[in-house]
Amino acid sequence: MNAGIIGVGHYVPEKVLTNADLEKIVDTNDEWIRTRTGIEERRIASDDIDTSHMAYFSAVRALEDAEVNGEDLDLILVATVTPDYPFPSVACQLQERLGAKKAAAMDISAACSGFMYGLATAKQFIESGVYKNVLVVGVEKLSKIVDWEDRNTCVLFGDGAGATVLGQVEDGKGILSFELGADGTGSKHLYQDEYIIMNGREVFKFAVRQMGESAVNVVEKIGLNKEDVDYLIPHQANIRIMEAARERLGIEEEKMAVNVNKYGNTSAASIPIALSEDVKNGKIKEDDLVVLVGFGGGLTWGAVAIRWGK
Ligand code: UT7
């Protein structure tokens, strides 16, 4: 029995915050932000749209795409570090709004790697035969934990949500391998006190090393080579980090998902938003070998290799 993604959906808030807008708030400039990060603009949720609302909008789209009803869900996993409340979980709020009466529900806290942890968890429940339909959402409203006076961080982040429905797929398709990891000794480099605190250079070095390594590992685990990768979706944190991962795999520019320019770093949401966009615009096709890879606070990391299709 193989677990795979049978539906995708995403939601980003309407309000656009450009680099020029940020120039009016902190001592920064468009040139610095573009060249150091690749970010041109990001989306910011309004006060009345919280994390659970964005999660819901993306989940409805993914369920429609998968042709699965809320009441047929067995499990809801929400990767986020910006829940509406410490508890109840965003997953429980979704459970109510989706009418997913029989679904178990919990949030996953693994920062930007959270969606990878969610996919790997869903795979276990489906392939053991315990559950049939699992909803995995990555969602963040980072704008509420960003210090808008700190130019080191406020230019980087954005809000949004991406959702996937996982179920059983044909032999040879679906999530073929994964890798998850953590290094708590690096927790001091990226954490939330009241706001996000980050040692950018340390996180950068870790990310460049780990993304390339994990991406290669999940491909080798299934007995394939870097050359077999059709599409790479790296966590959208910084174009320079993403490019390093692409170069490590040795794949062409057009085979890597890039939306960091439009949305900035949306943490746990960045990979599922890119996945949803690129399935819908046809960049990801049936039978493609797709590698998803993320890293984040914790420190944490994770990668997944998927043979696309149902
Ligand atoms: O999801 C995981 C979350 N985190 C990440 O992925 C972050 C990983 N790290 C990075 O992406 C990069 O380290 C940053 C984009 C955060 C910074 O880029 P960098 O090339 O590592 O720059 P830096 O930290 O070495 O700073 C260079 C200079 C500093 O000035 P001095 O000390 O050289 O005079 C900063 O003060 O750039 C300055 N600076 C800025 N200048 C204009 C820092 N932020 C800004 C800013 N605008 N927004």
Side-chain angles (χ1 to χ4, degrees):
M1 207 182 299
N2 286 354
I5 294 172
I6 59 170
V8 293
H10 67 280
Y11 167 84
V12 290
E14 272 167 38
K15 187 184 167 195
V16 175
L17 186 71
T18 65
N19 292 348
D21 296 330
L22 280 165
E23 286 176 4
K24 294 173 203 142
I25 306 174
V26 286
D27 177 18
T28 190
N29 58 80
D30 177 54
E31 164 73 12
W32 191 95
I33 302 172
R34 265 176 213 261
T35 52
R36 299 290 179 119
T37 72
I39 301 168
E40 293 162 20
E41 55 188 47
R42 64 289 290 140
R43 300 298 180 94
I44 303 294
S46 54
D47 289 346
D48 56 341
I49 303 281
D50 211 339
T51 301
S52 66
H53 301 107
M54 294 191 280
Y56 173 74
F57 300 144
S58 68
V60 166
R61 291 171 186 173
L63 286 166
E64 258 171 40
D65 189 41
E67 296 179 6
V68 168
N69 294 319
E71 61 256 35
D72 296 326
L73 287 173
D74 301 299
L75 175 66
I76 299 174
L77 300 172
V78 176
T80 188
V81 292
T82 49
D84 299 13
Y85 317 106
F87 72 92
S89 62
V90 175
C92 280
Q93 292 171 278
L94 267 190
Q95 197 250 17
E96 181 192 8
R97 290 177 203 166
L98 295 171
K101 292 197 188 75
K102 69 171 181 166
M106 67 172 170
D107 287 357
I108 292 178
S109 174
C112 309
S113 317
F115 184 72
M116 298 291 94
Y117 274 70
L119 288 185
T121 307
K123 175 178 162 75
Q124 309 312 310
F125 280 111
I126 292 169
E127 294 185 1
S128 61
V130 175
Y131 291 145
K132 196 160 168 269
N133 296 309
V134 181
L135 175 68
V136 183
V137 181
V139 56
E140 302 289 2
K141 187 173 179 179
L142 293 169
S143 59
K144 67 183 179 184
I145 60 163
V146 160
D147 179 353
W148 291 101
E149 292 178 1
D150 177 11
R151 70 172 183 172
N152 290 298
T153 53
C154 77
V155 302
L156 304 175
F157 300 104
D159 302 334
T164 50
V165 179
L166 279 84
Q168 292 166 17
V169 294
E170 266 177 34
D171 251 11
K173 293 191 176 169
I175 301 175
L176 304 181
S177 65
F178 70 89
E179 169 175 291
L180 299 178
D183 175 10
T185 65
S187 58
K188 56 185 175 292
H189 299 315
L190 179 53
Y191 61 96
Q192 184 192 352
D193 192 354
E194 184 183 354
Y195 299 120
I196 297 173
I197 315 277
M198 184 176 73
N199 179 340
R201 274 180 221 185
E202 283 303 321
V203 178
F204 192 97
K205 281 190 280 179
F206 152 73
V208 165
R209 189 181 66 246
Q210 199 57 54
M211 289 248 280
E213 204 171 298
S214 295
V216 171
N217 287 346
V218 289
V219 174
E220 287 181 348
K221 272 188 186 181
I222 49 175
L224 295 176
N225 303 312
K226 297 185 290 186
E227 298 73 45
D228 298 313
V229 176
D230 296 300
Y231 204 66
L232 171 69
I233 304 187
H235 169 43
Q236 308 281 310
N238 182 321
I239 192 73
R240 289 151 60 211
I241 298 172
M242 294 157 57
E243 281 296 334
R246 183 175 72 77
E247 277 162 26
R248 177 79 200 281
L249 280 180
I251 62 172
E252 300 89 335
E253 224 178 301
E254 61 274 14
K255 289 187 175 177
M256 179 171 80
V258 179
N259 66 25
V260 67
N261 55 320
K262 297 187 292 184
Y263 305 139
N265 179 349
T266 57
S267 187
S270 97
I271 293 173
I273 291 173
L275 179 69
S276 172
E277 283 191 332
D278 291 343
V279 167
K280 285 176 184 157
N281 65 24
K283 286 190 186 164
I284 295 172
K285 297 176 289 297
E286 184 82 14
D287 284 326
D288 276 354
L289 181 66
V290 183
V291 171
L292 318 181
V293 59
F295 68 92
L299 300 169
T300 55
W301 61 91
V304 166
I306 302 174
R307 180 69 67 190
W308 196 256
K310 298 185 190 178

